[in-house]
Amino acid sequence: MAQGKIRNMEEFAAISGISRPTLSKFFNDPDSVRHTTRERIEKALEQHDYRPNVFAVNQNRRKTKNIGIVVPNLADPFFSEIGRLVELACIETGYSPILLSSHGNPSMERDNLDSLRSLKPAGVLLAPFGRASDRADIQKFDRDVPVVLFDANIEGVGKAFVGTDNFQSIDLMVEYLCRSGEPPCFFEMKSPTNPNANKRRHAYLESMQRHGQDANIFQAEGEAWNFEEIGRAEGGRMLSENVFQTNTVLCSNDRLAIGMLSAAYGLGIRVGHGKGCSLRIAGHDDHPFARFTCPPLTTIAQDYAAIANRAVSTLFRILESDDRPSEREETLFDGRLVMRDSA
C-alpha cells in the first residue's frame, strides 16, 4: 500500500513510535541521544523517507534555532510563570528560547520585535499588550517570521492564537457566585489595554442576563501596570462609599482583587464566606500569589501548562509544514473554578 507523504515531525513521531522531544533532540544533535535510539531513528528515517522541513526552511531563509518569546512584563508573576513554561517547552523540543520583557511599555514590545529580527529567529511566541500593541508592525513582522500569539488575542494578527475561553470561565464564576450567595458586581479598570478585560466584561454581562440578574459594573481610574495599587485605591474608595449593590465583587483579574483585599483589610471589612464576613471578593487567572492572600482568593485558574505547550507545538507545526496555514488558528482552553476562603 502506498504511503502518503509525512508532512511534519508530529506525523513522523506518530508513525515511527518515537517521541517528539527525542526526535527534536536527535535532529538538533544526533550524538545527544543514545546509540540504540539513534539507530532506531535512522532506520525509521530510511523506512519512511522523511526529513524535517524546518531545517530546509531555516537554511533557505538563513534562520536559526532561536525562538523569540515576548511578554508584557516579567515583573508580573503571571507572565513570569507562563513565560517560564513556554521557555521550557521550547528547550524540550531542541530550540533555543530568547525570553524578552516589554516592562509594561507597549513601545518596547515593538523594540523587542526589532531586536529579534537581527537574531533571525525561526519563529516568535508573543503575549501582546493588545489594544496598545502596534498591529501593523506585528503583521509586518509575521510576514517574515511566523508569530503565534498567546494569552491576549489581537484579531487577525499572527498565524495562530492560544489562550483561555473567557466566556466559559467568567460564566463558571458567575454561576458559582450566584449559587452560593448574592450575585456579583464586576470591578475592572476603565481603560484596560489587555483585550481579555473587554471579553470578561462582555462575558459577565451575558452571564448575568442568563441568570436573570442585574449587571453592575464599576470601573477604576488608572492605566498603569500597578494593578494592585489601582485595586487598593479605587476599590477602597468604592468600598468606603458603599457603592456596590451586593456584598459580592468579581474583579476582572486577580491583581485587582489582591488590591481590593488589601483595601478591605484597611477598612476593617472582613472578607469571606464565614460568620462575621460582610464581603466576598473573587478574581480571575489564579495568580501565583492568589493562594497566599488573606483570605486566600477564590478565582478561575487558567491552564498555564496547556496554553504554553499548545502555543509551542502550534508554532513548531507551522515551521515544519510544507505549507503555511491558509486560515488563522485559534485554540481556547477552559478555565477551572478554584474555591477559596474569599468567596
Side-chain angles (χ1 to χ4, degrees):
M1 181 180 297
Q3 176 183 300
K5 182 178 181 181
I6 299 174
R7 295 173 298 176
N8 54 51
M9 202 184 300
E10 289 182 352
E11 291 187 4
F12 180 66
I15 200 170
S16 67
I18 302 166
S19 73
R20 171 69 191 284
T22 299
L23 289 172
S24 294
K25 192 175 181 182
F26 168 82
F27 288 124
N28 190 45
D29 180 8
D31 293 329
S32 66
V33 300
R34 289 181 299 180
H35 179 68
T36 54
T37 302
R38 179 175 176 176
E39 286 184 343
R40 184 183 171 200
I41 294 172
E42 289 173 346
K43 183 177 179 180
L45 288 170
E46 182 177 351
Q47 178 183 353
H48 300 291
D49 191 26
Y50 170 73
R51 292 295 182 274
N53 293 320
V54 65
F55 290 93
V57 170
N58 286 346
Q59 184 178 29
N60 291 338
R61 298 186 177 184
R62 297 185 179 180
K63 297 291 178 66
T64 66
K65 293 284 288 180
N66 296 329
I67 295 293
I69 306 167
V70 182
V71 298
N73 198 336
L74 277 174
D76 185 327
F78 171 82
F79 288 112
S80 295
E81 177 63 12
I82 198 166
R84 181 183 71 85
L85 291 172
V86 171
E87 189 176 30
L88 289 174
C90 289
I91 293 171
E92 184 181 7
T93 50
Y95 282 81
S96 301
I98 302 170
L99 181 58
L100 300 174
S101 170
S102 299
H103 301 289
N105 185 347
S107 65
M108 191 169 287
E109 179 177 271
R110 184 173 56 251
D111 293 342
N112 282 332
L113 292 177
D114 287 341
S115 296
L116 285 170
R117 285 182 187 277
S118 63
L119 299 175
K120 298 180 180 177
V124 168
L125 296 155
L126 171 65
F129 284 94
R131 181 171 61 87
S133 294
D134 189 329
R135 169 189 286 266
D137 190 66
I138 298 173
Q139 289 177 320
K140 180 180 177 182
F141 185 92
D142 182 54
R143 286 195 288 268
D144 299 325
V145 180
V147 175
V148 169
L149 304 187
F150 66 97
D151 179 60
N153 195 8
I154 305 176
E155 300 293 339
V157 175
K159 296 288 185 293
F161 167 72
V162 182
T164 295
D165 185 343
N166 288 290
F167 284 84
Q168 176 272 337
S169 60
I170 289 293
D171 186 59
L172 185 64
M173 177 62 81
V174 168
E175 190 279 330
Y176 164 71
L177 293 174
C178 289
R179 169 169 49 87
S180 59
E182 294 185 14
C185 302
F186 191 74
F187 179 67
E188 65 170 356
M189 290 178 62
K190 187 174 183 179
S191 301
T193 60
N194 191 304
N196 285 325
N198 296 322
K199 286 184 172 61
R200 291 171 190 176
R201 183 195 320 112
H202 292 304
Y204 166 77
L205 291 170
E206 288 186 10
S207 184
M208 292 293 280
Q209 184 178 24
R210 277 196 299 273
H211 287 85
Q213 302 290 344
D214 292 331
N216 295 289
I217 296 177
F218 298 88
Q219 297 181 321
E221 297 289 345
E223 295 186 0
W225 201 258
N226 54 335
F227 300 117
E228 292 86 358
E229 176 56 29
I230 293 170
R232 186 196 66 79
E234 286 288 278
R237 177 183 63 79
M238 293 180 189
L239 288 172
S240 64
E241 294 174 359
N242 199 29
V243 301
F244 297 113
Q245 281 90 340
T246 73
N247 71 354
T248 304
V249 180
L250 170 57
C251 298
S252 179
N253 62 62
D254 283 353
R255 293 184 62 189
L256 287 173
I258 289 170
M260 184 173 280
L261 283 173
S262 176
Y265 175 81
L267 293 169
I269 300 173
R270 188 171 177 184
V271 177
H273 225 319
K275 185 178 179 180
C277 296
S278 58
L279 177 66
R280 294 194 301 162
I281 297 175
H284 191 291
D285 292 337
D286 201 20
H287 187 287
F289 296 163
R291 69 186 65 190
F292 303 115
T293 58
C294 188
L297 183 64
T298 292
T299 186
I300 290 290
Q302 298 195 62
D303 195 337
Y304 291 19
I307 292 171
N309 289 326
R310 181 62 64 86
V312 170
S313 65
T314 298
L315 178 61
F316 291 165
R317 176 166 47 80
I318 291 170
L319 294 177
E320 294 162 7
S321 175
D322 282 332
D323 301 313
R324 296 291 187 230
S326 57
E327 295 184 2
R328 184 177 185 267
E329 300 177 26
E330 287 195 12
T331 304
L332 301 179
F333 290 95
D334 286 350
R336 177 174 53 88
L337 176 66
V338 181
M339 294 177 287
R340 300 193 180 107
D341 293 344
S342 74

